[in-house]
Amino acid sequence: MKNLLNKYPNPLYLLFLIGLMVFTSSCKTKKEAALVPLKERSGNELIQVIATHTLRYNTFSAKVNVDFKPGEKNKNISAPANLRIIKGRAIQLSFQIPILNTEVFRVMFTPDSVLLIDRSAKAYVAEAIQDIKASADFAFDYYNLESLFTNQLFIAGRSDVTPADYPLFSVDQMKYNAFLRTKDWQKVTYTFTCDYTDRIRKTELESNSKKMNLDWSYDEFGPVSNTQQVFPLKMKMDLQLPSDRATMDLSFSRVELNNDISIDFKIPEKYTRLSLSDVIRIINNL
């Protein structure tokens, strides 16, 4: 197998893969109901009604099972996880040993940094987002990753979408689906597909050269346990690159909002610091 550094030259692609490399799922996605025509609306009206369905939270916590395949020639990697989000501040994924409920791996993102802790190897990776983005070719960042996990509309490189941003989207309404599109400063196209429920069913990122395509789709919307809000309990990620493909299925349970949660950034003593290149080599040998 060719070195992943050659297959994934953009460090943000690498960061995305590394951060998700221990996901799993044991459930197949059940398709939801059939086609219903869209209501007739102006572009701004459609964006506004989609915004009203945006998940409102300060903190987010859930159990998640995911099935992640980091490359066509790589085997699936499996582990249950706990997902915690403090809006605008941090995302934490804590991966457990089944039955024992013991953490083996943790990955944390903030707007400024990424931290990975591998307890089985007694090692960690700590990198500044600014250093990673210095050689990146698109504006995708922490806030956009947070939006993907929580089924939200976003503009690359921004923390929120406001009514003043609506003109940045082009809107194409078909009979059964509407497509909201915007581009970042490197001309990466972001497409949000919505249906009659006025919810985002798929978010797609496509590079200007068409050498990278990310599809993140949503299904099985259900009520959040401690609110009247609705959240997609199934998600699927499909990342297409020139020389490989990575896929991921997520199945959520026990989704709760606005609980009192914390995220621990403490690195255990005597853990060895690794570089992103070290972790890439580990993935390459899977």
Side-chain angles (χ1 to χ4, degrees), residues 102-137:
T102 301
E103 183 182 72
V104 293
F105 188 90
R106 178 183 294 189
V107 56
M108 289 163 285
F109 300 94
T110 74
D112 301 319
S113 64
V114 58
L115 173 64
L116 294 82
I117 298 176
D118 185 344
R119 298 193 184 281
S120 61
K122 294 186 176 181
Y124 73 97
V125 175
E127 298 287 344
I129 294 293
Q130 189 63 33
D131 292 341
I132 297 171
K133 291 183 71 172
S135 57
D137 60 1

Side-chain angles (χ1 to χ4, degrees), residues 52-283:
T52 64
H53 286 103
T54 293
L55 193 70
R56 298 177 299 282
Y57 70 98
N58 293 315
T59 67
F60 175 103
S61 59
K63 289 188 175 296
V64 59
N65 293 314
V66 188
D67 192 12
F68 183 56
K69 188 175 177 63
E72 293 283 10
K73 295 182 180 180
N74 294 81
K75 62 183 179 182
N76 284 23
I77 302 173
S78 301
N82 293 318
L83 172 63
R84 290 183 171 185
I85 301 174
I86 301 176
K87 186 173 176 61
R89 293 176 52 194
I91 300 170
Q92 174 186 286
L93 287 157
S94 173
F95 302 99
Q96 317 290 321
I97 297 176
I99 302 176
L100 298 179
N101 199 33
T102 301
E103 183 182 72
V104 293
F105 188 90
R106 178 183 294 189
V107 56
M108 289 163 285
F109 300 94
T110 74
D112 301 319
S113 64
V114 58
L115 173 64
L116 294 82
I117 298 176
D118 185 344
R119 298 193 184 281
S120 61
K122 294 186 176 181
Y124 73 97
V125 175
E127 298 287 344
I129 294 293
Q130 189 63 33
D131 292 341
I132 297 171
K133 291 183 71 172
S135 57
D137 60 1
F138 66 107
F140 186 88
D141 65 4
Y142 165 86
Y143 299 105
N144 306 149
L145 181 61
E146 188 178 271
S147 295
L148 285 172
F149 274 118
T150 55
N151 184 231
Q152 302 200 31
L153 191 68
F154 64 86
I155 294 174
R158 299 195 186 185
S159 58
D160 293 293
V161 176
T162 69
D165 299 317
Y166 293 175
L168 297 176
F169 292 93
S170 64
V171 179
D172 185 12
Q173 299 186 63
M174 310 299 285
K175 184 175 181 179
Y176 298 112
N177 294 106
F179 305 92
L180 284 62
R181 294 184 176 90
T182 187
K183 292 186 178 183
D184 68 20
W185 62 282
Q186 287 287 358
K187 297 185 178 180
V188 173
T189 300
Y190 298 75
T191 302
F192 303 86
T193 302
C194 308
D195 65 2
Y196 73 98
T197 65
D198 297 324
R199 301 184 188 280
I200 298 169
R201 291 295 181 147
K202 184 171 72 170
T203 299
E204 180 181 4
L205 283 66
E206 185 176 55
S207 65
N208 187 42
S209 64
K210 301 186 182 301
K211 292 182 179 180
M212 184 279 294
N213 183 278
L214 170 67
D215 282 353
W216 195 300
S217 58
Y218 306 92
D219 203 357
E220 294 196 26
F221 284 74
V224 177
S225 60
N226 59 343
T227 76
Q228 298 301 312
Q229 299 189 72
V230 172
F231 184 77
L233 301 178
K234 301 286 186 180
M235 299 183 188
K236 183 177 181 64
M237 182 275 287
D238 190 332
L239 177 63
Q240 296 276 357
L241 296 167
S243 59
D244 213 345
R245 176 187 180 193
T247 60
M248 175 182 72
D249 291 283
L250 298 88
S251 177
F252 287 83
S253 61
R254 290 180 57 182
V255 177
E256 296 183 337
L257 306 180
N258 302 324
N259 286 341
D260 186 12
I261 66 173
S262 61
I263 293 180
D264 182 8
F265 290 90
K266 184 179 180 181
I267 300 171
E269 294 182 3
K270 299 182 179 179
Y271 272 38
T272 302
R273 183 170 184 172
L274 303 177
S275 67
L276 285 178
S277 297
D278 294 327
V279 179
I280 292 164
R281 282 193 290 272
I282 292 171
I283 298 175

